[in-house]
Structures are given as structure tokens and as C-alpha cells.
Amino acid sequence: MENYELKEIIGEKQIKEKILVLSEKINSFFQNSSFIAIGVLKGALFFMADLIPHLRNCETYDFIQAKSYEGSESTGSIKILKEPSTLLENKNVLVIEDILDTGITATAIKDYLLKKGAKNIYFCALLDKPSRRIKQIVPDFCGFVIDNYFVVGYGLDYEEKFREKRGIYIFKLKD
Ligand code: IMP
Ligand code: MG
């Protein structure tokens, strides 16, 4: 790959600590009602795997994968590449996302899940970049709010690379 620079902004330990805080919030929010966790592939994989063992009322988990239509990022049209196979009719759904950026993906996923009959939809995002928001959506549970950087690691990629890193890094191409 081209010359690039990685700078760690959130370490592995910080992520693990934040997951404990988030899981307490999620557990106290759901109290005695159950929910289905839906992880957004591929970025949410590690976050989801670390978070779910701490959640008390998670009935089951499944996955969804979405992709922006080529060249139409600004229109916000999204294609669902992988649908959850779990029946969502009348269920509480907790969507687990790596990052909320423009909010286009999350909004499309929400519309999709509503069409599948989900009763309530909540979002848990490890990272939030509110400065880039196009669609007004606020995560119900959020790990870290970050500035407008492109980040990789802990599931997040640049051209499918760096997902396996344990922390979160700012990624920059060097000229
Ligand atoms: P949105 O639809 O613009 O909110 O983007 C959501 C998706 O874009 C995320 O699920 C990520 O896959 C990707 N994305 C947004 N920002 C970043 C980033 O800083 N690094 C890596 N992927 C990102
Ligand atoms: Mg990506």
C-alpha cells in the first residue's frame, strides 16, 4: 500500500473499560425486557463480540450488512447485502455499529428493520462522528465521540485493512 501513518487515539484497555460502562447502561435501560442484537458487518464484529457477553437481556444476535450504491453516497441509497434471518416482528432491536458518520447507513438500516416489523429500534455505536452527519440520527448508546478523522482498527478498515488492530487509530495517507 501507499505510504501511510497510524496514530493511536483509543487504546485496547480504554475500549474494554468503555464496553463495561456501555453494558451497564444498556442493562439498566432494558431492565426486564428482552431485545435482539443486530451487528452491522463487517465493522461491528469485534465490538459486538466483546459487548454481548455483558448484556443481560439479549435474546439472540444476528447480522446485517449494508452498502452504499456506487457513486450515490450523497443520495443516501443503500443496498442490504445480508439480511438477518431472525424474525424481528414486534421485537426490540439493538443495532450494534462500529461508527456513525453521515448517519445514512444507520437511517437506512432503521427503515429496513421497521419494515421487518421491529417494535423499537435502538442504536449502540462504538464511535460517533457527529460533525459529518447528514441524516439526523443520534445513537442511544455511544462509546466515544470523535472529531472528523478517518479511523481504523477494532473492526474499522481502510480498504479492508487494519480491522484486526486492537485499538483505534487515525489513518492518514502520506504524500
Ligand atoms: P455512514 O453511513 O456515513 O454513517 O457510514 C457508516 C459506515 O461508513 C460505517 O459503518 C463504516 O463502515 C464507514 N465509516 C465511516 N467513517 C469511517 C472511518 O472513519 N473509518 C472507517 N470506516 C468508516
Ligand atoms: Mg468500511
Side-chain angles (χ1 to χ4, degrees):
M1 209 212 303
E2 314 92 302
N3 262 352
Y4 64 87
E5 221 171 51
L6 293 182
K7 186 182 162 220
E8 191 181 75
I9 52 164
I10 306 167
E12 185 182 7
K13 187 161 169 272
Q14 247 181 303
I15 295 174
K16 297 292 154 73
E17 285 167 3
K18 185 66 80 172
I19 283 172
L20 294 181
V21 174
L22 278 175
S23 59
E24 278 172 26
K25 285 185 183 162
I26 294 169
N27 286 335
S28 68
F29 179 82
F30 283 98
Q31 295 281 341
N32 299 318
S33 50
S34 68
F35 61 91
I36 294 173
I38 303 275
V40 182
L41 293 172
K42 304 177 192 173
L45 179 72
F46 300 109
F47 179 40
M48 187 181 185
D50 286 339
L51 179 68
I52 286 179
H54 298 284
L55 302 181
R56 251 191 305 185
N57 302 329
C58 181
E59 220 179 294
T60 186
Y61 62 85
D62 206 330
F63 303 96
I64 191 168
Q65 190 171 14
K67 190 187 166 64
S68 320
Y69 278 108
E70 215 113 317
S72 65
E73 208 185 330
S74 56
T75 67
S77 36
I78 293 283
K79 187 179 178 185
I80 302 290
L81 296 182
K82 193 248 174 271
E83 305 190 22
S85 51
T86 309
L87 288 178
L88 301 176
E89 195 104 346
N90 218 25
K91 297 286 187 182
N92 293 316
V93 174
L94 179 68
V95 180
I96 303 180
E97 276 256 43
D98 52 358
I99 188 164
L100 272 184
D101 185 23
T102 62
I104 290 172
T105 309
T107 304
I109 287 175
K110 186 172 183 179
D111 292 345
Y112 171 87
L113 295 172
L114 283 173
K115 275 196 203 125
K116 292 287 167 186
K119 182 169 67 178
N120 293 301
I121 298 155
Y122 306 95
F123 279 86
C124 175
L126 177 66
L127 303 171
D128 188 11
K129 265 198 263 188
S131 60
R132 298 235 320 151
R133 203 71 99 247
I134 291 171
K135 296 274 186 181
Q136 280 326 304
I137 184 157
V138 178
D140 301 277
F141 308 96
C142 169
F144 304 92
V145 175
I146 61 168
D147 289 333
N148 185 15
Y149 297 118
F150 191 84
V151 292
V152 297
Y154 199 65
L156 291 133
D157 72 306
Y158 170 74
E159 296 185 346
E160 295 303 321
K161 294 185 185 70
F162 312 115
R163 291 194 196 274
E164 75 289 356
K165 293 204 158 290
R166 293 166 191 268
I168 306 282
Y169 297 77
I170 294 175
F171 171 87
K172 267 192 197 134
L173 283 174
K174 286 208 247 177
D175 28 42

